[in-house]
Amino acid sequence: MYNDFESMLIKLYGEENLDNQKQRYDDAIENFRSLYGNSDYLLFSAPGRTEIGGNHTDHNLGKVLAASVNLDIIAVVAPTSDMTITVKSEGFDVDVINLDNLDVVEDEVNSSAALIRGIAAGLAKEGYNIGGFNAYTTSDVLKGSGLSSSAAFEVLIGTVLNHLYNNEKIPAPKIAQISQYAENVYFGKPSGLMDQMASSVGGFIAIDFAQPDNPTIEKIDYDFDSSGHSLCIIDTKGDHADLTDEYALIPSDMKAIASYFSCEALRKINRADVLLNIDKLRKNFGDRAVLRALHFFDENDRVTRLQYELQVDDFDAFLATIKESGDSSYKLLQNIYAVTDYDNQSISLALYIVESSLQGRGASRIHGGGFAGTVQAFVPNSMLAHFKINVEKFFGCNSCHILRIRPVGGVRVPQVN
């Protein structure tokens, strides 16, 4: 009979990973004690996420389909009596944040310290309680993978503060919104809300951001294991460094088209508006902005279809829609490679290799923000072993990650018995 700790690990990672995860938590606890002594502790986890559909739609009030995955960041935590948060993340320098100062600190921009301070500031701004704690964290969410390690870290900090100082009264969507605020304002990255929402809420979720302060969230009860396919994320080893401007241009291009119609986001207009005014829009904003706007409208429709296809268990139609999404990202959204670095096209190469390996079956598409990083593939289980071998010939050992869909978002994990 499993105890509460082991039962939670099985829920988060699968029974086949129980022993490895128990050792991982034991190691984290040992590292925590070496830093902070043998004080009482609490355990927390926040997952990475995979985007199923809705590539670059969230920042223009669109729809997305996403899911949390079994790669996560875990934290061993003890509250303190002062207003200082101290976080030592494995492989990184320690962050020490004095919560008496909740202003943006310019020297912290693009750092984990900025995210911690930003989460605390966002909570305080919303009227929630904050306070100090000591933490040790370790992550198996691949950096630059499109699985959003930054969102997992943000949600983790928010989940800790929610438990320690707010009696877990902060709703998961609110933690996601505060996490986005920290990333936008304190970290300095103009991200949308999908990453944080998928990590915080968990499971398969369809999100409609038409009302960004109160997004509509619908959990989808779908047993992905029954599809006969596996979800693979292929790490092309591309470098996201210096690509912030490329990411920022996507919402900027889309919002420029919306602004022509005196609207702040494309969700406020429709495809017909763009097509009827296409000559003026091309002249004022260029072809790329127009193409990205058309991608938005088509991709928004695809999210609705993907959600329905899962709900009625039409997986063949689901795969066809995934292929359409990938095709649109390549041709219209144009986030497969950076035009400022066209010699490096690891995503383009990976898509070719993946599609060749699938031999017309399954589906593949860009994963995450794009320009570098990862490709998503839905692979028939009968082809999985050969597929993994073939892909790793090109991108190296352990470049093909076979993932599980995790049923919950940011959580406190019961203590080790």
Side-chain angles (χ1 to χ4, degrees), residues 98-114:
N98 185 337
L99 300 182
D100 290 329
N101 176 18
L102 296 179
D103 295 333
V104 175
V105 177
E106 291 301 325
D107 289 344
E108 291 178 353
V109 170
N110 292 316
S111 73
S112 55

Side-chain angles (χ1 to χ4, degrees), residues 58-59 176 180 183-184 189-196 209:
D58 56 333
H59 46 59
Q180 183 202 23
E183 186 157 325
N184 291 174
K189 182 178 179 181
S191 69
L193 185 55
M194 182 193 69
D195 296 352
Q196 293 85 355
F209 293 107

Side-chain angles (χ1 to χ4, degrees), residues 305-326:
R305 285 163 48 198
L306 287 167
Q307 181 179 356
Y308 174 77
E309 287 154 3
L310 288 180
Q311 289 170 331
V312 300
D313 195 18
D314 189 348
F315 201 72
D316 288 339
F318 172 86
L319 292 174
T321 306
I322 290 291
K323 290 179 182 178
E324 289 180 21
S325 175

Side-chain angles (χ1 to χ4, degrees), residues 81-274:
S81 58
D82 59 15
M83 293 293 285
T84 300
I85 294 177
T86 303
V87 178
K88 175 66 173 75
S89 296
E90 182 181 21
F92 296 91
D93 294 335
V94 66
D95 290 313
V96 180
I97 308 300
N98 185 337
L99 300 182
D100 290 329
N101 176 18
L102 296 179
D103 295 333
V104 175
V105 177
E106 291 301 325
D107 289 344
E108 291 178 353
V109 170
N110 292 316
S111 73
S112 55
L115 295 176
I116 297 167
R117 194 183 303 277
I119 296 292
L123 287 170
K125 183 180 178 182
E126 293 287 334
Y128 295 110
N129 300 321
I130 59 175
F133 62 83
N134 295 327
Y136 175 83
T137 78
T138 181
S139 173
D140 61 9
V141 183
L142 308 169
K143 287 184 69 64
S145 65
L147 297 173
S148 198
S149 57
S150 60
F153 182 79
E154 294 154 13
V155 168
L156 183 71
I157 298 300
T159 301
V160 170
L161 289 169
N162 188 20
H163 178 84
L164 293 183
Y165 298 108
N166 294 278
N167 297 314
E168 298 192 342
K169 293 181 178 179
I170 308 174
K174 178 59 69 174
I175 291 176
Q177 291 169 330
I178 290 170
S179 296
Q180 183 202 23
Y181 168 79
E183 186 157 325
N184 291 174
V185 177
Y186 283 71
F187 187 83
K189 182 178 179 181
S191 69
L193 185 55
M194 182 193 69
D195 296 352
Q196 293 85 355
M197 195 67 74
S199 178
S200 187
V201 175
F204 274 109
I205 56 171
I207 314 169
D208 188 335
F209 293 107
Q211 299 180 37
D213 293 334
N214 187 30
T216 301
I217 302 166
E218 182 176 351
K219 273 185 170 281
I220 300 172
D221 184 17
Y222 180 75
D223 179 12
F224 183 74
D225 291 340
S226 69
S227 70
H229 288 68
S230 292
L231 171 63
C232 296
I233 300 296
I234 295 89
D235 182 7
T236 68
K237 310 299 171 65
D239 188 359
H240 281 81
D242 301 323
L243 290 177
T244 297
D245 289 345
E246 291 279 1
Y247 295 126
L249 281 171
I250 294 179
S252 175
D253 280 349
M254 290 182 179
K255 289 177 180 179
I257 298 296
S259 71
Y260 180 82
F261 303 94
S262 300
C263 294
E264 75 277 13
L266 287 176
R267 187 65 179 274
K268 302 294 186 179
I269 63 173
N270 57 50
R271 185 187 296 104
D273 292 323
V274 172

Side-chain angles (χ1 to χ4, degrees), residues 17-30:
N17 295 313
L18 177 59
D19 289 341
N20 287 338
Q21 289 297 332
K22 286 172 67 177
Q23 186 62 56
R24 180 180 177 225
Y25 276 79
D26 285 345
D27 291 344
I29 293 166
E30 183 177 340

